[in-house]
Amino acid sequence: MGHYLSACGLMYSSTGDELLKSKARHIVAELAKCQRANEGGWLAAFPPAFMQRLTERLPVWAPFYTLHKIMAGLLDVHEHCGDAPALEIAVGMAAWIPSYLPIV
């Protein structure tokens, strides 16, 4: 999803294609619903419990990469399409990270 959002944002910036902008904004609105349903910042295609696998050194495929790509796509839509909710979602995702990280 993040790659697609980045592509939409960058192509809109390059071409002015309103259909791409509209699709990106629609996806952002749907992602916002998912984030709200997850009670806050968490937004991913896998449950937050999978993050515990990192702590336990169990197999899990690149969860921070996945989170990064979604956030990058949201930031591209915000920057290139002027979509304020995209930034709000990314900030919410970033705010979730300390809940995962162990206290140092």
Side-chain angles (χ1 to χ4, degrees):
M1 186 55 56
H3 288 95
Y4 181 75
L5 288 173
S6 287
C8 286
L10 293 168
M11 283 300 293
Y12 173 73
S13 183
S14 296
T15 66
D17 185 330
E18 291 294 328
L19 180 59
L20 286 173
K21 180 179 178 181
S22 174
K23 286 182 178 187
R25 294 183 103 173
H26 176 74
I27 290 169
V28 167
E30 294 300 311
L31 290 175
K33 291 178 187 176
C34 294
Q35 193 178 49
R36 282 191 300 275
N38 287 325
E39 299 179 4
W42 179 257
L43 180 65
F46 54 91
F50 279 27
M51 298 300 286
Q52 183 62 29
R53 293 181 183 184
L54 289 176
T55 304
E56 297 171 4
R57 298 181 184 250
L58 296 173
V60 59
W61 183 84
F64 276 108
Y65 170 80
T66 303
L67 296 175
H68 165 263
K69 294 317 302 176
I70 294 170
M71 292 173 81
L74 289 164
L75 293 174
D76 284 337
V77 171
H78 169 69
E79 180 178 348
H80 298 286
C81 299
D83 192 79
L87 179 60
E88 292 172 18
I89 295 168
V91 167
M93 291 177 73
W96 176 88
I97 298 300
S99 71
Y100 161 75
L101 298 174
I103 297 173
V104 181

